[in-house]
Amino acid sequence: MLDGPFITRGGMPRISGMDMLKAVVTDLNELDEGLRGYYVQKDGKFFLNVTPVDGFQLDNTQGLKTALGAERNNVSVLQAQLKPYEGLDVAAARTALERITAFGDITPEAAKTAVETAARLTALDPEKQAEQIANTKLETIKGQLSAQYGLKETEWTTKVKGLEDANASLVGQLKTIMGESQIKSEVAKANPLDDARDAVELLVGKFVRTSMKDGKVVTEVIDTNGNPRIKDVNGTPFTVADLVAEIREKSASLFKPEEKRGLGTNPGSHSAAPAGGVVNPWAAETRNITQQMVLENTKPELAKQLKAAAGVKD
């Protein structure tokens, strides 16, 4: 206990040599010698030896202040956290917590989304929704089929066009071959002069047209206007053989004479045939404009010689 002489100053108790006793010192030399007996050593320091009375005692107030500040801070934090829950019914809160627990780990955002989705689905008419889904699927399928059909149509169109072009080319070649073959055959039967054979075939070819009828190549003789020629009022077609015979009659000098006509001269003609047996179409007695044209187109050198022999100048 602390007891000893007191000196009053200004009406207040005072301990000799000090204004006030220190609760703890690190060195007893800081104290008057008469006061050192009131301190006890502990943990390297000297504490004032005070006997507790009615709950009052000497203690480390720094730790108490730190603890008190921490508790006050905790109270402030808790009060801030509890602020949103002011006025909340405890029973209702407990029920809400139990319901939330039943959902496990679901978040409030997920729960809100689920509630909104449920409300939207509840408002839907099942029959109309099913019809809408069916229509959507139908339109999707129609679009897919249309796209597929478009691709196939393009593919088929390309193939058909290729086949049509190939067929047209083959048909054209066939008509040409068949027409030329018939012309050559009929001209050969008429026995043209060797030098005039090409000219006769060229002349016949100008009036022969081939076409396809019922899958067959048909050859017909046409006039200068491109109209099919007929032989009589019954509409009998004019044939290639008829055309060659007509040309032979009009241009006999292009063909070899028959046995009874002698050697290369027309009946009643006294002019000798030039070398090669060709009658001169520029000579006055054997003048033939058609033969002149044919020779100038096919045998220009021979035509030049025949003109000179007939005294015709270019």
Side-chain angles (χ1 to χ4, degrees), residues 77-270:
V77 173
L78 290 174
Q79 287 178 342
Q81 292 177 346
L82 290 173
K83 188 71 176 178
Y85 301 98
E86 289 181 356
L88 181 65
D89 185 287
V90 177
R94 183 180 294 109
T95 301
L97 289 173
E98 292 174 352
R99 291 179 178 176
I100 291 175
T101 304
F103 287 99
D105 297 331
I106 189 171
T107 63
E109 292 77 8
K112 180 181 179 182
T113 302
V115 171
E116 293 175 350
T117 302
R120 186 173 65 255
L121 294 176
T122 302
L124 293 176
D125 186 336
E127 293 184 359
K128 292 182 179 179
Q129 188 66 14
E131 182 179 355
Q132 181 179 357
I133 294 174
N135 289 335
T136 300
K137 289 184 177 179
L138 179 60
E139 291 301 322
T140 301
I141 294 174
K142 287 171 61 179
Q144 293 174 348
L145 291 177
S146 178
Q148 293 176 3
Y149 177 77
L151 292 174
K152 285 295 183 182
E153 184 179 23
T154 302
E155 180 182 349
W156 294 333
T157 300
T158 302
K159 289 184 178 179
V160 170
K161 182 64 168 58
L163 293 174
E164 288 178 346
D165 292 343
N167 182 66
S169 176
L170 293 174
V171 169
Q173 295 177 33
L174 179 61
K175 290 193 296 183
T176 300
I177 293 173
M178 293 294 289
E180 291 179 351
S181 176
Q182 188 170 358
I183 291 172
K184 288 181 178 295
S185 176
E186 295 299 334
V187 169
K189 293 177 182 178
N191 200 19
L193 296 172
D194 295 337
D195 293 338
R197 181 182 300 274
D198 292 341
V200 174
E201 290 178 355
L202 178 63
L203 182 61
V204 173
K206 290 182 177 180
F207 300 99
V208 174
R209 180 173 63 193
T210 57
S211 62
M212 295 294 296
K213 291 183 179 180
D214 299 329
K216 297 181 180 180
V217 178
V218 177
T219 303
E220 57 184 353
V221 178
I222 58 176
D223 58 20
T224 55
N225 295 321
N227 300 314
R229 292 182 60 180
I230 56 177
K231 291 193 296 185
D232 50 40
V233 294
N234 295 322
T236 304
F238 205 82
T239 65
V240 176
D242 295 331
L243 177 61
V244 173
E246 183 180 71
I247 292 175
R248 179 184 176 87
E249 183 177 351
K250 291 180 179 180
S251 304
S253 60
L254 298 177
F255 298 86
K256 294 178 182 179
E258 297 178 0
E259 294 294 335
K260 60 183 179 180
R261 291 190 178 184
L263 299 175
T265 60
N266 289 329
S269 175
H270 302 286

